[in-house]
Amino acid sequence: MNKKIIIANLKMHGSSSFYEELFAQVKSTQQHLAASDVEIVMCIPYPYLFLAEKFFAHSGISWGSQNVAKDLAGPFTGEVSVTMLTDFASQYAIIGHSERSTAYCESDLNIAEKFKRLKEHNVRPILCVGETFIEREAGMEKKVVQAQLETILSNGSEIFADSVIAYEPIWAIGSDMAASPEQAQNMCSFIRDFIHSEGKHSGHNDQKKIPLKVVYGGSVNEKNTLQLLSLDEVDGALIGRCSLSADKFIQICNLAHQI
Ligand code: PGA
């Protein structure tokens, strides 16, 4: 069975003491899962990457950031490059989260450049895609997600190998209104099929084998985890608020383990 992946998105929360406590708890209770059928990834603010490396090195638990610069170095005040992430052995980086694309006007092209940069340095992108409530009401959700994927696909479908696509409907983030299992299943299936079919069109053989994961994010909690993660098209979850509580996050990881 496909290994499930549970990704924590800690956003701009916490402090040194908060992370020391969270990491210690996740490590002590989750090491047996990390070694088995659940992959755990902690995506945290940049200043705590060193701490994640200290706690999680050789534990089977992965860590990463919530953004990356598209450039490698230069006069870009406030930016953090991929080589700075790898200095702290980060294995993953979230890109394209709607909280960034709306607040900081990130374009699809910009996100595609970040995706490419991460791949060049063997950091796995966790690409967020998803529609607004108005777009879903208008029946445009697949069109919107397709457009978000297309800019990256212009680099060839194999660029998606070993990456994670997180379907995060914008209306479900921070809202207590998770997508229904049917909505999550349909969109995750659409994302996978679209990437594979684009690969075939561009002449790549056997695209079904592109090893990518498609996960769901948006108001995932300990009550809806089993239902969402039991879906065969859903390879895991991206967890916001519930990752702030070690108890809830660990409970979600344990539920993923039961599937
Ligand atoms: P949420 O956030 O779980 O708090 O809805 C998810 C996310 O923004 O990735």
Side-chain angles (χ1 to χ4, degrees):
M1 196 197 207
N2 215 349
K3 196 166 172 164
K4 297 280 182 197
I5 182 167
I6 305 294
I7 305 160
N9 177 9
L10 274 299
K11 308 195 179 183
M12 197 176 73
H13 293 292
S15 60
S16 289
S17 55
F18 168 86
Y19 284 106
E20 285 197 9
E21 205 169 308
L22 177 69
F23 291 171
Q25 286 192 55
V26 170
K27 188 176 170 183
S28 67
T29 55
Q30 294 305 299
Q31 229 163 341
H32 66 289
L33 296 188
S36 62
D37 53 359
V38 180
E39 181 174 6
I40 297 162
V41 184
M42 307 298 289
C43 289
I44 54 178
Y46 297 127
Y48 306 110
L49 288 173
F50 83 97
L51 204 57
E53 185 180 20
K54 190 172 129 195
F55 270 84
F56 297 135
H58 314 297
S59 70
I61 294 168
S62 306
W63 62 94
S65 63
Q66 303 162 17
N67 188 27
V68 68
K70 69 181 172 57
D71 298 286
L72 275 181
F76 304 109
T77 303
E79 291 289 89
V80 172
S81 73
V82 63
T83 52
M84 294 170 184
L85 301 182
T86 54
D87 267 350
F88 297 97
S90 308
Q91 303 97 329
Y92 286 90
I94 295 175
I95 52 169
H97 194 286
S98 59
E99 285 160 10
R100 289 202 58 81
S101 44
T102 43
Y104 304 100
C105 306
E106 284 189 321
S107 65
D108 287 348
L109 187 60
N110 197 255
I111 294 162
E113 284 175 310
K114 292 180 178 194
F115 194 105
K116 207 165 155 228
R117 192 65 74 207
L118 290 170
K119 291 291 297 180
E120 283 165 2
H121 289 81
N122 295 320
V123 176
R124 294 182 178 181
I126 300 167
L127 170 72
C128 298
V129 295
E131 79 287 356
T132 62
F133 189 70
I134 292 171
E135 288 162 344
R136 180 162 278 272
E137 288 280 279
M140 291 168 60
E141 66 276 10
K142 289 192 174 143
K143 233 176 152 183
V144 169
V145 168
Q146 179 171 322
Q148 291 165 342
L149 295 171
E150 264 165 352
T151 320
I152 297 169
L153 273 165
S154 62
N155 293 301
S157 61
E158 69 276 15
I159 197 168
F160 279 102
D162 295 324
S163 64
V164 179
I165 321 280
Y167 170 50
E168 290 217 312
I170 295 169
W171 46 270
I173 296 171
S175 72
D176 291 327
M177 191 171 72
S180 69
E182 197 191 357
Q183 289 169 328
Q185 173 87 341
N186 278 344
M187 188 60 91
C188 290
S189 163
F190 171 75
I191 290 168
R192 205 183 308 272
D193 289 350
F194 181 67
I195 291 171
H196 288 148
S197 69
E198 286 300 295
K200 277 189 187 144
H201 291 154
S202 58
H204 297 284
N205 295 322
D206 212 8
Q207 288 300 320
K208 283 281 174 216
K209 293 212 171 98
I210 292 179
L212 65 94
K213 287 200 188 290
V214 186
V215 306
Y216 169 77
S219 294
V220 176
N221 57 40
E222 68 287 7
K223 296 185 195 90
N224 59 22
T225 294
L226 264 185
Q227 202 180 25
L228 287 163
L229 292 197
S230 301
L231 301 165
D232 56 357
E233 293 287 346
V234 177
D235 296 324
L238 181 53
I239 317 281
R241 281 157 297 166
C242 282
S243 64
L244 289 168
S245 148
D247 286 350
K248 285 187 182 176
F249 184 67
I250 289 165
Q251 208 181 327
I252 289 171
C253 295
N254 281 325
L255 288 165
H257 176 60
Q258 284 172 26
I259 293 162

